[in-house]
Structure formats: C-alpha cells, structure tokens
Amino acid sequence: MALFLLALVLFVILDIAIRAMLKKIHNDKQLKERQEALAVSLKLDYIREAKSLKRAEVKEPKAKILCVDDEAVILDSFRKILVLDGYAVDTVESGPEALGLIRAHHYDFVFTDLKMPDMSGEDVVKSVKHLRPDIDVLVITGYATVESAVECMKFGAMDYIQKPFTEDELLALTTKSLIKRQDRIQKQLKPIVHITRFPGAEKFQRNGFSIPGGVFISPNHCWASMETEGCLHVGIDDFAKKLIGSIDSIEMPNLGMNVAVGQPLFTLKQGQRTLQFKSPVSGKVSKINSGLVQEPERLDITPYDGNWICILDPVNIDTDLKELKIGKAAVDFYHADLEAFQNSVKNLNLENNGTHDALHSGDMAKLDEKNWRMVTGTLFDR
C-alpha cells in the first residue's frame, strides 16, 4: 500500500512537472514569435498607407490596436509592451493618419495622445467615434491635461492613461478595457437560434439556442420528435434548459399514464424550486428515460438526442402536431420568447441582478422566488 501511494505521489509530481515544462516551452515559443514579428514588422515599408506608420502583427492577437502620438518614444513603448503581450499594433504620429487608417482597417482600440500639433486628441476621439463607433478609444494624457482626458470621455472615450506610464499600468488598462469591450459586445449580440442538421448538434452552440431539424416545439418549450414506429420522444428544449440552468432532479410521469395536451407531464427540480411541464400531445406514457433520472446533468451536454424525458404513444397526433412549431416557425417563436424574457427583466429592473442580457446562461436562477415564478409562469406555464 505504501509503495502504491509513493508511486501515485511520484506520478502526480511528474505529471505536474511535465505540464509546467510544456507550458513554459509554449510560452517561450510564443514570446519568440512575437519578438520576431516585432523586429520584422518594423523593417517593412507602409508609407503607402501612412507616412509614419509602423505595424507589428502577431498570430491570433488578443486585439488590434492603433496608437497615435507625436512622440516616437511613446509609440515605441506601446509597440514593445503590447506586441509582446499578444496584441497587434499599428502606430502613427498624427491624427489625420490615424483617421485614414480606421477607414481602411478594422481596429478594436485607438489610443490617442491629447496634445498633438496637427490634430488634437479630443478631435481624434470625436472623429473616431463618428466614423467608427464600434472602435473603443483610450486617451494618453499628461498630468496637466487629466481634466481634458476626463472631458473626452463625454465624447465617447472609454478611459485614459497618464504619462509617464509603466509597463504594468499599460497592460492593466488594456486588459481591463478588453474585458469591458468583450462584455459589452456579448450583451449587444442577439442570441442566435440555430436549426441544426443532426441530433445533439446544439452541444456546439454555446452562444445561442438550437433546434434540431424535424423537431417540434410546444408553447411551453417541450420538444417532440416523431419516431418511425409512430411514438414520440418528448423532452425540454434548448431554450428552457439554458434559461433555467442546472437541474437537480426530474420527477418522471408514471408508465402507462394517459395524458392530454396541456396536462402536467413531468417536473424539473432546481434546489427548492420546481417547474412543471405540460404534455405537447395527447397519449400514453410508454417509457421513461431512467438514465436521465440517475444523471440529470446529462442535460448540460444536450437536452435533445438521447436525453429525452419520456416516450408517448400518441392518440390524436395529426391534430396535436398542428399546434406545435417546427422549422422557421420554431425559430420565430424562440425569438419572440427571447424578447419577452428580456423585456420582463427590464420591467423588473433586474439589470444589477446579473440577469439582464444574459439570456442563455442559466442566470434565471439568480431571480428571487416571486420574480422567478413570474418569469417561468409567463414562458413555460401556457
């Protein structure tokens, strides 16, 4: 036993050492590539785009940045610090050159000095936000112009950094700004509803909602899939699963139970909360998914495919299916309910509750009991 434990400890230590070594090799290789990119880029001639342009490109950059300052030493600092940290950087020495570049290229950020002879930083901020409102602008300022930098934020600048700045200060500001930008973009993007070609494809659609082709969707967000033998697999759809979040257990229907459209079929449990789902069709319960009872976390992978809740033998299928959504009608239904949910959150003034715009992250669980009941009742109790 002692030898086994010793071997296990040695294995763990060796595994950690190998992982650390591989990570160091990767980081060293990445740093070398960035250093080479920085050295090579500075030898290339970009005068056709802008007289003072110096460009340093890296593989898979964290962001693309344009820096404008009439002091070459400041631009040198920006390039060295940001490129080695994984950013692609263009630098120019005047505002007009910067505006010409944003018309021809896509940048995530523009860093601009406030005091420049040809064009002030304030005018650069105003112009960039007018021409490319999708680009975030950060201001470079000296101690004497901090007040002006703050004033620029009224014109759309995201933040500012004061000269002289340290490497850590620049990297901290850039990282913070990048996170802020990514969060804002994610909130602005409308979740996409995908019609997938094959069962289980929704597991690859983490930033949207999925409906497998040929699957019917009920008004309370159950899905139903007709099998060749005439029975129907029934479960909760991707919309319901992602909005509700984790599911602790499932109360299954009884085998042999007869159920009509709109009658309770199964119940999901999340902590002390329960959410009842109604049957999308009339029929008899012929089978329940016992594996899902034992492992409800399988729904985190996909609520479709083999993770159905139960199988029904339908009795009035032709009539019942007419009330369900499929294809484009299902997509439109999802979009309508997404908008309804978003409006509910806004009306409840829950923006600070972590739910606003997070339409597919399970953040409904953060609602208090009253509002959780109100929202789930609106979307699922139909």
Side-chain angles (χ1 to χ4, degrees):
M1 185 64 180
L3 289 175
F4 173 77
L5 291 175
L6 178 60
L8 181 62
V9 170
L10 291 174
F11 174 79
V12 171
I13 293 173
L14 181 61
D15 181 65
I16 293 173
I18 291 174
R19 289 175 183 271
M21 181 181 67
L22 292 175
K23 183 177 181 181
K24 184 178 185 304
I25 292 173
H26 172 75
N27 290 341
D28 289 345
K29 180 181 178 182
Q30 193 174 58
L31 178 59
K32 184 178 179 181
E33 288 175 348
R34 291 171 181 174
Q35 289 171 334
E36 291 174 350
L38 182 60
V40 171
S41 296
L42 296 182
K43 295 177 182 178
L44 301 179
D45 183 11
Y46 299 104
I47 196 170
R48 64 190 182 281
E49 295 184 64
K51 184 179 179 180
S52 66
L53 174 60
K54 292 183 179 180
R55 174 170 293 156
E57 298 179 304
V58 299
K59 294 180 180 178
E60 300 180 359
K62 295 178 181 179
K64 295 182 179 180
I65 299 174
L66 172 62
C67 302
V68 52
D69 196 304
D70 60 328
E71 295 183 66
V73 65
I74 297 295
L75 297 180
D76 290 341
S77 295
F78 267 96
R79 271 194 311 276
K80 182 178 179 181
I81 295 170
L82 294 177
V83 169
L84 294 183
D85 200 54
Y87 296 92
V89 180
D90 283 2
T91 62
V92 290
E93 297 178 8
S94 72
E97 288 180 307
L99 298 184
L101 286 171
I102 69 166
R103 288 186 176 95
H105 298 283
H106 300 299
Y107 296 99
D108 299 297
F109 297 98
V110 169
F111 282 82
T112 179
D113 187 24
L114 265 186
K115 297 295 184 180
M116 297 183 291
D118 295 331
M119 184 178 189
S120 71
E122 182 177 302
D123 286 339
V124 171
V125 173
K126 293 177 181 178
S127 299
V128 171
K129 298 308 291 184
H130 173 72
L131 294 171
R132 292 291 304 271
D134 57 301
I135 296 176
D136 287 306
V137 185
L138 295 101
V139 174
I140 311 164
T141 182
Y143 176 77
T145 55
V146 168
E147 187 175 335
S148 298
V150 174
E151 187 72 16
C152 282
M153 297 177 74
K154 297 179 182 179
F155 305 126
M158 176 184 279
D159 209 335
Y160 67 90
I161 186 168
Q162 187 174 322
K163 296 187 289 188
F165 51 81
T166 66
E167 179 176 338
D168 289 342
E169 288 171 340
L170 178 59
L171 291 177
L173 173 68
T174 309
T175 300
K176 181 183 73 173
S177 301
L178 180 59
I179 293 171
K180 185 177 179 180
R181 175 181 173 83
Q182 290 172 337
D183 287 346
R184 186 189 71 246
I185 290 173
Q186 187 60 43
K187 289 179 179 180
Q188 289 173 343
L189 292 177
K190 184 177 182 180
I192 299 172
V193 180
H194 308 264
I195 296 291
T196 57
R197 295 183 179 180
F198 52 92
E202 66 290 340
K203 68 183 69 175
F204 305 114
Q205 308 292 349
R206 294 301 185 187
N207 297 321
F209 298 88
S210 299
I211 307 170
V215 165
F216 293 87
I217 303 296
S218 74
N220 69 326
H221 291 284
C222 283
W223 64 269
S225 177
M226 178 70 75
E227 303 303 312
T228 54
E229 60 270 24
C231 64
L232 277 151
H233 285 84
V234 177
I236 65 164
D237 69 4
D238 198 33
F239 179 98
K241 176 61 183 73
K242 283 178 176 167
L243 263 69
I244 294 167
S246 62
I247 294 170
D248 296 324
S249 63
I250 305 170
E251 185 178 324
M252 294 287 187
N254 292 333
L255 282 174
M257 181 181 80
N258 289 305
V259 63
V261 172
Q263 289 184 341
L265 182 61
F266 57 87
T267 301
L268 305 182
K269 295 183 179 181
Q270 184 186 71
Q272 299 300 312
R273 294 170 171 171
T274 60
L275 184 57
Q276 196 173 70
F277 282 80
K278 300 174 181 177
S279 182
V281 300
S282 298
K284 179 182 289 187
V285 178
S286 61
K287 190 173 183 179
I288 62 171
N289 194 341
S290 56
L292 201 58
V293 174
Q294 300 298 322
E295 299 178 276
E297 61 273 14
R298 280 165 38 183
L299 291 170
D300 295 334
I301 301 173
T302 172
Y304 300 117
D305 199 15
N307 291 330
W308 45 269
I309 303 290
C310 63
I311 296 178
L312 296 177
D313 290 330
V315 296
N316 197 20
I317 191 64
D318 291 339
T319 300
D320 292 346
L321 289 183
K322 292 178 182 179
E323 303 302 316
L324 306 182
K325 309 291 185 183
I326 190 171
K328 186 178 183 302
V331 171
D332 292 342
F333 172 58
Y334 265 41
H335 281 144
D337 269 8
L338 286 169
E339 184 175 354
F341 176 75
Q342 190 171 26
N343 289 335
S344 295
V345 169
K346 290 179 180 177
N347 292 335
L348 292 171
N349 194 28
L350 297 175
E351 288 87 344
N352 295 325
N353 209 7
T355 61
H356 183 52
D357 290 317
L359 299 181
H360 55 282
S361 303
D363 280 342
M364 270 181 54
K366 297 179 182 178
L367 296 172
D368 60 35
E369 185 65 24
K370 178 182 176 182
N371 291 324
W372 191 85
R373 285 292 174 190
M374 188 279 291
V375 172
T376 55
T378 300
L379 296 175
F380 307 123
D381 189 16
R382 294 166 170 162

